[in-house]
Amino acid sequence: MGKSFVKLFILKLFFSLMFIGFLNAQEYSDLEIKNLIIKYKQDARGPYKAIRWFCPDGSTLPPEQRCPEPGGVQRAQFKDEVLRLAAKRNIYLGQILAATPFEDFLDEPNNNSRLKQYQIEKYLRAIDDGWLLRKAQYYRGAFQAEDEVNWGKKFFEWLLGSKDLPASKFLLIREAAKDIPHAGDDSRAQSIRSVSKNISDSLPSFLDLRVKIHGQPEVEDIAAIKNFREKNISKITPELSKMFDKLIADMDEFFKPVELSSLNKYIGRLPKGITIRSELENFVKTYSSESFNKSAMFISSADLLLNIRNAINENLTARAKLALVDISLSIETILFKEMNDWKTQTPQNLIEKNYYLAKALAGCGYLELWEWEKLSPKISPPKSDNINLKQLTEIHENFKRAVEWSSNLFRAYYENTIELYAGFEPLAEGFLDDKIRSSLLLPFGISVSTLGDFVAEKANHKNYVLGISGQQQARGLNPGYALGELVVVSGSPENINFTQDKIFVFNKPPSDMKPVAGIAT
């Protein structure tokens, strides 16, 4: 009896282990996911299989029927393999917001991965002609814009109703508000970057203009685009012509004169009598006139951004907090578009500009509040017009720290999810760069680099790095020379064969890297 029991136990254990191994074998590999996406790009329904009613009681019904109670939404139903992929690897393709439970979408147990995946896929769809929805974006009834906006509004009000979450994940909430529809607005800046990239991919001679638009967009670029189009008209296909039409239309809209009165629709949702509402009303009144001091408006904007961030932690309704998030995004857009009008004549002027840009970064969540408190005394504009080279160098070094801290904060939030997607879609690697270039970090980095060029000139310090711009932003880690083949690693470095005769360039070196001739990051 005892031996039979042991045999039975071993047999059960054997089959249990076989079953676990079977389950593990069913997990989708990156190659399998990549092939799925290739298939979906050519599928008129993409990752979806049918249109269904999703009812409040959790049931689903065919489109010709109706939910037994109000509140149902009609949208696409996912294919079985898409649901299995979500269950096995926590990868969510083709997400539709309507009827998705808020807690599931926030995905706190997995460091908000599902929410971040939604943002990354939205980026991929913008830069790659719909990505896995290349044909399915025209699948009638798959999702309703109105339902997505309504869901987004309710989601943010639910999220901002939490006492602790707005303070602890301010950057994530604010960035999510750029990507999740909730106010009927669209991201014209992202459209400009994605369309210019698509034009450049098809017409390599457009690359210089694309780099300019991505790096330092100005209203003058519109004339340059039109001029380029005229000179290259013989090379432009009907499809490219439509892209040029869209790019020019988007830039015309983006660079329209700022109308601060548009903020009033959000200000009206704030309780009367609170300090931040009074500050915002005064801001709109002061800078809506035809003539005002631009630098004064920029300074007031930076102050407001930081005050808004602090006000969100006060005892306000979720609706008021969402209004403050939208106001914050609007003010950042204004600063982003108008920052080139803040001209500086002296190092002191440039320090002042960088100081208020850094303050705006803290207000946007790109710097932690404790970082700003530690940093602000070290970068504040000098009270005297006389500043020596040592002081100037120290101030510049602290500004560089602000650039690094801000970009690394983005990295800390999104890196794991980017790496997850990069395993089957290398284009995901560009998401972080797109986020940074669409934020005030872009003009701040350029302005800090300008100050660095001035410091280097006065100190007679020079870098020589392949003739690239912004040379003073490069830092030497170890003195000396390295000779070898240059290998640029665009994706994960984990499977790279490192050898001692090569120089490797990558975003982030692996922890167990073998000796090489040289590295650059």
Side-chain angles (χ1 to χ4, degrees), residues 2 33 41 63 103 110 131 165 216 230 249 377 379 393 411:
I33 300 171
K41 284 180 179 180
E103 295 90 345
N110 295 297
W131 194 50
L165 200 58
Q216 200 169 2
E230 289 176 9
I379 59 174
T393 301
R411 194 179 308 282

Side-chain angles (χ1 to χ4, degrees), residues 38-48 79 132-137:
I38 292 171
K39 183 179 75 170
Y40 292 155
K41 284 180 179 180
Q42 302 306 316
D43 189 332
R45 295 187 177 185
Y48 314 122
K79 286 177 176 168
L132 86 166
L133 300 185
R134 186 160 297 167
K135 292 188 175 180
Q137 57 190 319

Side-chain angles (χ1 to χ4, degrees), residues 342-350 454:
W342 189 344
K343 307 299 182 184
T344 56
Q345 306 296 328
T346 66
Q348 286 84 354
N349 294 154
L350 192 52
F454 178 83

Side-chain angles (χ1 to χ4, degrees), residues 37-199:
I37 292 166
I38 292 171
K39 183 179 75 170
Y40 292 155
K41 284 180 179 180
Q42 302 306 316
D43 189 332
R45 295 187 177 185
Y48 314 122
K49 67 177 182 180
I51 305 299
R52 291 286 184 270
W53 279 100
F54 288 76
C55 304
D57 62 2
S59 62
T60 57
L61 298 173
E64 63 273 9
Q65 297 184 25
R66 288 292 183 272
C67 294
E69 55 184 299
V73 294
Q74 193 180 71
R75 40 153 275 201
Q77 185 179 36
F78 292 107
K79 286 177 176 168
D80 293 343
E81 66 254 36
V82 176
L83 297 175
R84 284 198 297 268
L85 178 61
K88 294 292 184 183
R89 289 200 56 185
N90 197 38
I91 292 174
Y92 299 86
L93 298 178
Q95 291 192 71
I96 301 172
L97 299 175
T100 301
F102 297 152
E103 295 90 345
D104 293 352
F105 182 75
L106 185 60
D107 197 15
E108 283 198 275
N110 295 297
N111 197 25
N112 312 110
S113 176
R114 185 170 178 176
L115 186 159
K116 295 170 187 175
Q117 288 180 49
Y118 176 89
Q119 295 178 274
I120 292 172
E121 183 174 317
K122 189 166 186 178
Y123 162 75
L124 291 170
R125 286 162 59 181
I127 67 163
D128 190 32
D129 190 22
W131 194 50
L132 86 166
L133 300 185
R134 186 160 297 167
K135 292 188 175 180
Q137 57 190 319
Y138 308 111
Y139 181 25
R140 187 177 178 184
F143 38 81
Q144 310 291 336
E146 184 179 346
D147 288 339
E148 298 294 280
V149 170
N150 288 337
W151 184 95
K153 184 173 179 290
K154 292 175 182 176
F155 170 74
F156 281 113
E157 290 184 355
W158 168 79
L159 189 59
L160 291 164
S162 165
K163 278 189 174 181
D164 301 323
L165 200 58
S168 63
K169 293 194 174 177
F170 178 76
L171 176 61
L172 180 65
I173 294 171
R174 195 174 176 279
E175 288 301 307
K178 293 180 181 179
D179 296 320
I180 296 172
H182 65 281
D185 300 332
D186 61 348
S187 178
R188 207 168 297 276
Q190 186 185 61
S191 175
I192 289 169
R193 289 191 304 279
S194 61
V195 174
S196 62
K197 178 188 180 299
N198 291 336
I199 292 174

